[in-house]
Amino acid sequence: ENSSSYKLRNNEGLIPVVTKKKLDEQQPCNCKKSKCLKLYCDCFAAGLYCTGPCKCLNCQNMPSFEEARASAISTILERNPNAFKPKINDSNDGMHTKGCHCKKSGC
């Protein structure tokens, strides 16, 4: 199984970041200026490292840049503690955590 989960250390202790996305299902990113350290990078937001199919430039979302990556994650978590948590709860029949704003699906 290739599922990815890891724990971060920040001022509050250990924070789990769990994803259900498998590395085989990961969509490649195309980041140009963010160095893949912003939440709009699909890989970074999912808690995964960028892989071979990604077409990003100057990527720092890799194990070799762990210090920069950990710094970016802690900065994001300081601003929004729920940033890396799933947006849809599996426990509540697929309901959104902040309420549904879907126009077409009406979930």
Side-chain angles (χ1 to χ4, degrees):
E1 185 175 61
N2 291 335
S3 63
S4 173
S5 68
Y6 59 91
K7 294 185 178 190
L8 300 173
R9 181 173 299 279
N10 76 0
N11 299 340
E12 299 171 1
L14 294 175
I15 297 175
V17 178
V18 180
T19 65
K20 293 185 178 182
K21 199 180 246 190
K22 293 182 180 177
L23 292 174
D24 300 337
E25 301 170 0
Q26 180 181 357
Q27 294 290 327
C29 68
N30 296 307
C31 302
K32 304 283 187 243
K33 296 180 181 180
S34 70
K35 299 179 184 177
C36 297
L37 296 177
K38 303 285 183 183
L39 283 174
Y40 47 79
C41 174
D42 294 334
C43 305
F44 183 75
L48 302 171
Y49 292 108
C50 290
T51 59
C54 293
K55 298 174 184 153
C56 42
L57 300 175
N58 299 323
C59 181
Q60 292 189 4
N61 186 25
M62 293 190 263
S64 57
F65 292 99
E66 189 59 39
E67 189 174 316
R69 186 174 186 266
S71 174
I73 290 171
S74 64
T75 301
I76 290 169
L77 287 173
E78 284 175 15
R79 284 187 251 147
N80 180 6
N82 298 321
F84 292 97
K85 292 183 181 174
K87 307 298 185 247
I88 298 177
N89 286 338
D90 289 331
S91 61
N92 293 340
D93 300 325
M95 298 296 291
H96 293 252
T97 55
K98 291 184 173 182
C100 178
H101 298 289
C102 299
K103 294 179 182 176
K104 293 184 181 180
S105 68
C107 62

